[in-house]
Amino acid sequence: SDPTPIMTHGIFELEQEFALLRDLARSGFPAPMPIELASKLPGVDASFYTMPRLPGRVPGSFLGAHQQRFPEALLLRLAELLAELHRVPLASFSAYFAQYEDAGALAETIEQRYRRNLRGWRAYVAAVEHLPSPFITWLFDWLERNVPADTRTPVLTHGDFNVHNVLAEGETVTAVLDWECADFGAPELDLAYIQPHVSRHMDWDRFVAHYRASGGAETDPARMPFCLAYSVLRTMLGGNRGAFNLQRGHSRDLRYVMVELGFAPAFMQMALHGTSTGE
């Protein structure tokens, strides 16, 4: 556990992630099955939960995905899993919503959900100190001015769905890991996030067609830039806080240097590419 965590908002709180996975497990989706939650135990430095040991290995990394080769069958399986995830009914998460969401959240449209989420992120940044960042200031402004008019019902999104967050045995995906970025919103969010990597290895339209044929939601490419920028906001806030902790001496974990040198430029480039509309 970090002495000062880089993110303490939403499902980044372990107790909240546990509750979400507890509900998701009932759907049969291949995610970790949470067994028991140990929340703020005296004498233990952080909350934790237990789960069964899962087979397989992580087939690739986020920044190194362009240097690796992934079989098309594995990528198409990821399309199938996204379709399966986005089909899980919201009613499946009634216990989670009752415990952690505002009244009426189940009735929100995707547009309403994102507007409320952005207000929540604004409040979080106001309450928790971060390093000054013109990029994050600009990104907040762009997102708030460009929320798509979207009256669809939100779906569960993983938020960090890619080759670095699954376990696989050959071309068989055995589990989808790391759910702290999960939320409810537009299916385009998961598609926009994985598109840069998929497009390096296979035709993107074929991937989307397979997602649709597997029961995935109807999607609108025009909504993808917003969804990608929204994903980058969360990532940049976490990286910013990690660098803050390192600079202030709250953390001695030198891996956060790589956040600034590796991840930050990559995610900034992703957001700038997606939002270059001339505004």
Side-chain angles (χ1 to χ4, degrees):
S1 116
D2 287 324
T4 50
I6 64 170
M7 191 71 75
T8 54
H9 182 66
I11 297 175
F12 282 89
E13 295 281 15
L14 196 72
E15 291 81 1
Q16 198 161 331
E17 180 185 341
F18 176 88
L20 181 82
L21 286 177
R22 178 193 56 202
D23 286 356
L24 180 60
R26 300 188 184 103
S27 76
F29 188 84
M33 171 81 72
I35 299 173
E36 203 166 20
L37 173 68
S39 182
K40 300 178 176 62
L41 276 179
V44 180
D45 65 355
S47 299
F48 67 92
Y49 62 82
T50 56
M51 67 183 80
R53 183 177 178 86
L54 301 168
R57 64 178 184 84
V58 176
S61 65
F62 184 86
L63 290 181
H66 65 287
Q67 300 168 335
Q68 301 161 284
R69 297 305 305 171
F70 299 101
E72 188 170 295
L74 174 63
L75 297 175
L76 291 176
R77 178 60 184 142
L78 295 183
E80 294 168 4
L81 286 169
L82 277 182
E84 182 180 349
L85 179 66
H86 296 163
R87 288 197 311 271
V88 179
L90 277 190
S92 303
F93 304 99
S94 55
Y96 169 84
F97 271 82
Q99 187 173 2
Y100 289 105
E101 293 282 347
D102 294 342
L106 274 170
E108 286 181 326
T109 66
I110 288 176
E111 178 183 1
Q112 291 169 333
R113 179 79 184 183
Y114 279 127
R115 291 193 183 281
R116 183 159 64 83
N117 283 356
L118 285 168
R119 291 193 297 271
W121 282 114
R122 280 279 196 189
Y124 170 73
V125 172
V128 177
E129 188 176 4
H130 290 73
L131 296 174
S133 172
F135 177 79
I136 290 176
T137 299
W138 167 81
L139 193 54
F140 261 120
D141 178 72
W142 188 93
L143 287 166
E144 288 164 345
R145 289 186 293 106
N146 288 276
V147 178
D150 193 339
T151 60
R152 295 175 299 171
T153 299
V155 301
L156 176 62
T157 59
H158 181 277
D160 196 8
F161 189 90
N162 216 314
V163 293
H164 63 289
N165 275 336
V166 299
L167 294 177
E169 292 182 322
E171 297 171 358
T172 301
V173 176
T174 56
V176 179
L177 308 176
D178 286 4
W179 290 83
E180 68 271 10
C181 298
D183 203 348
F184 298 88
E188 288 89 352
L189 185 141
D190 284 329
L191 292 167
Y193 191 78
I194 200 173
Q195 181 181 12
H197 286 160
V198 169
S199 297
R200 293 189 179 104
H201 301 282
M202 65 174 290
D203 179 71
W204 174 247
D205 289 339
R206 174 166 158 71
F207 182 90
V208 175
H210 193 71
Y211 164 82
R212 289 285 295 116
S214 302
E218 289 190 27
T219 58
D220 182 353
R223 297 185 178 114
M224 299 269 279
F226 173 87
C227 289
L228 183 58
Y230 182 83
S231 297
V232 170
L233 174 68
R234 175 203 67 230
T235 305
M236 292 298 295
L237 287 173
N240 181 293
R241 181 66 183 181
F244 172 91
N245 289 344
L246 197 62
Q247 291 184 24
R248 297 295 194 275
H250 301 316
S251 170
R252 301 173 67 91
D253 190 339
L254 291 180
R255 290 177 297 178
Y256 288 117
V257 173
M258 283 309 301
V259 171
E260 287 297 294
L261 298 180
F263 280 89
F267 278 99
M268 288 174 73
Q269 184 178 32
M270 286 167 58
L272 292 170
H273 176 75
T275 58
S276 298
T277 59
E279 294 185 18

